[in-house]
Amino acid sequence: PSWTASHSDTVAKAVLDWAVDRGANTYCHWFQPMASSGVRHGQTGQVQNMMMAFNRTTNDIEFDFDGKNLTKGETDGSSYPNGGLRATHTAGGYLAIDTSSPIFLRGDTIFIPSAFVSYYGAALDEKTPLLRSNAALSKHGKRLLAHLGLDIGDQDVISNIGLEQEFFLVPRDQYYRR
C-alpha cells in the first residue's frame, strides 16, 4: 500500500502508542523461513529490536520507533537457501512488512508479520510466494472481470480460503432406498 512510502512514520507512531499502552518495549519482524530442504513448515524466525534509544544529551532513555523500523528489517540471509555462492554484500536477508496481516502483541514484544527475500528478490520464506500469488490472482482476476464487462476500479480481487462444502442432488426415491 502507498502508506508504507508516504505515511509510515504516522502509522509507526500509532503502533508505538498502542504497544507502549500495553507494556511493550520490543518489536520484531516475524517471518516463516524456508530451511535448506526448501520447507520448514510451521517454524518461524524473528529479528528483535528494542523500541528505545539512549539520548546522549539528556542521559534519558526514549522510545525510538519510526516508519523505517516498521516497514523494513534486515537479517543474515546466508543461512537460508540461495541457489549457490554469492558475494558477501548480497548475503543479507531483507524483511518487509506484510500489510495483509495484522501486527500483534505477545508479552512485551510486538510482532510485525514480514516477507523475507534475498538481495535479488528471491523468496527465502513461505509467505512471499503466497503474497506474489495473491497479487497475480488479483491482477488477472481484474482482467477477467473487465473482459466480462465488470469494472471494479482500484479494488483488488481477494482470494479467501474457506471450508469446502459439497452438495449432492439425489433423487428422493434413491435416498429412501438407502
Side-chain angles (χ1 to χ4, degrees):
S2 61
W3 72 261
T4 59
S6 58
H7 295 82
S8 60
D9 285 332
T10 304
V11 174
K13 170 99 173 73
V15 169
L16 177 64
D17 290 345
W18 170 80
V20 169
D21 286 348
R22 286 157 181 77
N25 58 21
T26 305
Y27 71 96
C28 76
H29 288 274
W30 179 63
F31 57 101
Q32 293 77 33
M34 284 192 258
S36 59
S37 65
V39 179
R40 190 179 183 150
H41 296 296
Q43 296 185 6
T44 65
Q46 48 190 271
V47 178
Q48 293 201 1
N49 294 292
M50 292 294 290
M51 294 188 293
M52 298 180 201
F54 181 72
N55 184 325
R56 295 176 190 269
T57 305
T58 63
N59 290 333
D60 291 330
I61 296 175
E62 301 171 347
F63 283 101
D64 181 28
F65 183 73
D66 61 15
K68 184 179 178 188
N69 300 129
L70 176 64
T71 59
K72 299 176 184 173
E74 184 177 349
T75 186
D76 177 16
S78 63
S79 304
Y80 300 98
N82 60 41
L85 296 175
R86 58 186 172 189
T88 303
H89 75 283
T90 63
Y94 300 92
L95 297 158
I97 188 171
D98 170 17
T99 57
S100 67
S101 298
I103 295 171
F104 62 94
L105 176 72
R106 184 176 292 157
D108 66 350
T109 304
I110 59 168
F111 287 74
I112 304 167
S114 302
F116 185 42
V117 297
S118 74
Y119 180 80
Y120 293 110
L124 297 176
D125 65 351
E126 295 178 5
K127 184 175 263 195
T128 299
L130 175 66
L131 294 173
R132 290 176 177 167
S133 295
N134 282 342
L137 281 169
S138 179
K139 177 182 175 181
H140 295 291
K142 288 166 84 169
R143 283 183 53 222
L144 174 64
L145 290 172
H147 285 297
L148 295 173
L150 300 170
D151 180 20
I152 62 169
D154 291 338
Q155 293 179 343
D156 287 326
V157 173
I158 299 172
S159 59
N160 292 299
I161 298 174
L163 298 175
E164 181 181 333
Q165 179 64 52
E166 295 180 2
F167 294 94
F168 298 95
L169 300 176
V170 179
R172 187 180 304 267
D173 63 322
Q174 296 296 318
Y175 172 78
Y176 286 120
R177 286 184 57 196
R178 295 184 76 190

